[in-house]
Amino acid sequence: MPKIRIVSLVPSLTELVCALGLRPWLVGRTGFCIHPADLAEVPKVGGTKDVRLDRVRALAPTHVLVNVDENRLDTVQALRAFVPEVLVTHPCAPEDNLALFAQFAQAFGEVPGVADRAEALAQALRAELDATPPGRHPPEPVWVPIWREPWMTVARDTYIARLLARLDWHTLPDVEGGPTGAARYPAHAADAPWLAQVRRVLLPSEPYRFGPEHLAEVQSLCPQARVHLVEGEWLSWYGPRAAQALRVLRALRESP
């Protein structure tokens, strides 16, 4: 068997590792890496933002998987001092998953079946991208709160916003956050003027766990909007979920 030892610091990438048949080589994960369900025996190394470097070092990984948005730059820099391969990912649109699949196929292609599984994921995603071209629906302004107290949302150059843009859902406020940093997920006031323009609100189950108890509050902030509770994983998890996320969101967009 190849001498590969993988530590994943990103939930989406942990799921991708397993989808590619690399579960036997996964030796570490964060506490937020909960998919697939059979990860209980894989040691935890902290969270995405508070990685326990001592635990990672003890696992002697050959590869550590990180993400620009989800992990801290100082963590990545520290990892490079003792990890042979730190794979940095930064998908900012659903089509970027095609490059992600290719990146993993190249990194782990020595494991039989990985390249074929990566290509199967790519083919499934290409089909969904073809079925979800922008411009099929009238543009609709959307608010996606990702936190409460303070309210936070997504800039238009994030993965979530660009995923929704394929469905002609355009996130408000109309700002870009840049390649890295907090501006990608701006905080805003509950009485921000642009909230009056919102016609659809998608309340995700993560990172803040929005639920039925928040519907009335959100509706009061956007009285002209339809408000939906949605699984946060369909909005923000990339990798093997990307194709199904497009199907699920397309069905929601086309519902009466």
Side-chain angles (χ1 to χ4, degrees):
M1 295 179 69
K3 294 181 179 180
I4 296 173
R5 295 177 61 82
I6 303 170
V7 170
S8 174
L9 303 182
V10 185
S12 297
L13 300 182
T14 301
E15 190 172 42
L16 177 57
V17 163
C18 297
L20 293 175
L22 291 164
R23 170 65 178 79
W25 291 269
L26 182 67
V27 300
R29 63 181 172 107
T30 75
F32 299 108
C33 298
I34 59 173
H35 296 299
D38 65 340
L39 297 176
E41 296 179 0
V42 180
K44 298 177 184 178
V45 297
T48 55
K49 297 290 192 293
D50 55 347
V51 177
R52 289 286 304 273
L53 292 172
D54 56 332
R55 293 183 184 179
V56 177
R57 188 188 296 270
L59 293 170
T62 59
H63 298 75
V64 174
L65 315 179
V66 300
N67 175 266
V68 169
D69 274 343
E70 298 191 51
N71 305 119
R72 296 167 57 94
L73 177 59
D74 57 351
T75 298
V76 176
Q77 291 171 334
L79 289 167
R80 286 185 169 130
F82 64 89
V83 178
E85 295 287 342
V86 178
L87 271 66
V88 179
T89 66
H90 191 34
C92 292
E95 56 268 27
D96 292 349
N97 286 287
L98 298 172
L100 179 67
F101 301 150
Q103 180 185 13
F104 274 57
Q106 181 176 13
F108 304 111
E110 64 187 286
V111 178
V114 166
D116 290 341
R117 294 185 186 97
E119 179 55 28
L121 288 173
Q123 289 181 4
L125 178 57
R126 290 188 194 102
E128 293 302 328
L129 289 169
D130 288 345
T132 319
R136 295 176 66 236
H137 305 281
E140 188 173 50
V142 175
W143 177 37
V144 184
I146 60 169
W147 204 257
R148 179 176 172 272
E149 297 183 350
W151 291 103
M152 297 175 64
T153 187
V154 297
R156 284 200 173 172
D157 49 353
T158 57
Y159 183 89
I160 294 174
R162 287 177 172 164
L163 170 64
L164 297 177
R166 291 197 72 92
L167 298 144
D168 303 302
W169 276 333
H170 300 297
T171 56
L172 291 179
D174 182 3
V175 298
E176 296 200 355
T180 62
R184 292 174 59 75
Y185 302 95
H188 62 86
D191 59 354
W194 52 263
L195 287 169
Q197 304 172 35
V198 172
R199 292 298 178 268
R200 186 93 61 151
V201 181
L202 303 181
L203 281 181
S205 58
E206 62 173 44
Y208 190 94
R209 187 170 290 279
F210 286 102
E213 67 274 19
H214 300 109
L215 290 173
E217 178 185 17
V218 169
Q219 189 72 75
S220 70
L221 300 180
C222 302
Q224 304 301 318
R226 298 173 64 186
V227 182
H228 305 274
L229 292 170
V230 297
E231 289 293 332
E233 294 162 355
W234 298 128
L235 298 182
S236 59
W237 285 46
Y238 37 88
R241 285 181 185 262
Q244 190 173 359
L246 284 167
R247 288 197 297 274
V248 169
L249 293 170
R250 194 166 63 242
L252 179 61
R253 183 64 160 106
E254 295 171 356
S255 63

